Amino acid sequence: RRMYYDALIYDDLALRYLPMDGYLRDWRAVVLALLGRTDEALADLKRDGADAGTLCLRGSIRHVRGENEEALADFREAVERDPRWADAFAGRAAVQAALRRAGEAEEDFTRAIELESREAAFHEGRGMVRRRTGRLREAAEDFARAVELSPSRRAGLQPLIDEGRK
């Protein structure tokens, strides 16, 4: 935690000289969120003209807080701002999955994979949605691809891969 407080001090100092720098504000929000100060983090992220990355960050914090409809709005806006931003689709998919909207979640994870096929988390996320809907074979394929891309995931995903291959 001390490291986060140090980072916050340096970021605040940098913002004295560059008060409108969106990148610095985003990093400050990340540190605040890690410290559990999500109200302050969201305040830093509320600004006109926010780019897709800022909107995804705001949506992620809202999702963690359980504010899924607000998070969904942030991710929708991020997709509109930059329809090539894979994380916007993946973030929206995660919220859709939390809201038990499997069809929309799978569609968004698929779009994220089309944009960034080498991101293991996207394959794993789609696999979780497919597993929840009983499509175990397809889920196992997604989990296997996630392990192929990120071997450190094997321990957690191998039982799910085996489940789908029975």
Side-chain angles (χ1 to χ4, degrees):
R1 282 183 80 74
R2 173 73 184 156
M3 172 179 64
Y4 298 143
Y5 286 110
D6 289 346
L8 191 58
I9 289 168
Y10 289 120
D11 202 48
D12 285 344
L13 180 62
L15 281 166
R16 284 186 187 168
Y17 297 99
L18 299 166
M20 302 308 291
D21 189 296
Y23 180 76
L24 289 174
R25 291 213 169 276
D26 286 358
W27 275 110
R28 182 175 191 277
V30 168
V31 173
L32 288 168
L34 289 170
L35 289 169
R37 295 163 56 181
T38 56
D39 288 338
E40 293 173 75
L42 289 173
D44 270 4
L45 297 171
K46 187 172 174 68
R47 57 183 181 266
D48 292 334
D51 65 16
T54 298
L55 291 164
C56 286
L57 180 55
R58 191 168 72 195
S60 295
I61 292 170
R62 286 180 166 165
H63 178 50
V64 168
R65 287 169 48 127
E67 300 169 0
N68 289 322
E69 292 301 333
E70 294 86 347
L72 199 54
D74 288 332
F75 286 116
R76 282 182 179 139
E77 189 176 344
V79 165
E80 289 172 15
R81 291 264 164 92
D82 189 349
R84 297 166 316 210
W85 192 274
D87 288 333
F89 286 97
R92 189 169 73 178
V95 175
Q96 298 280 24
L99 293 170
R100 302 285 188 208
R101 298 175 185 162
E104 294 91 338
E106 183 176 353
E107 186 177 307
D108 279 341
F109 274 126
T110 298
R111 182 65 183 134
I113 290 167
E114 289 169 355
L115 292 167
E116 191 64 48
S117 64
R118 301 203 46 82
E119 180 53 59
F122 300 166
H123 294 275
E124 185 175 341
R126 185 173 70 181
M128 290 297 185
V129 170
R130 287 176 167 175
R131 182 174 184 265
R132 192 177 300 144
T133 59
R135 295 165 46 216
L136 301 182
R137 186 172 314 167
E138 290 173 279
E141 291 170 9
D142 281 330
F143 297 143
R145 180 66 177 143
V147 168
E148 181 183 319
L149 294 168
S150 179
S152 64
R153 295 173 187 266
R154 180 172 303 284
L157 294 178
Q158 190 62 51
L160 302 178
I161 294 169
D162 294 342
E163 174 187 65
R165 291 184 175 163
K166 288 183 181 176

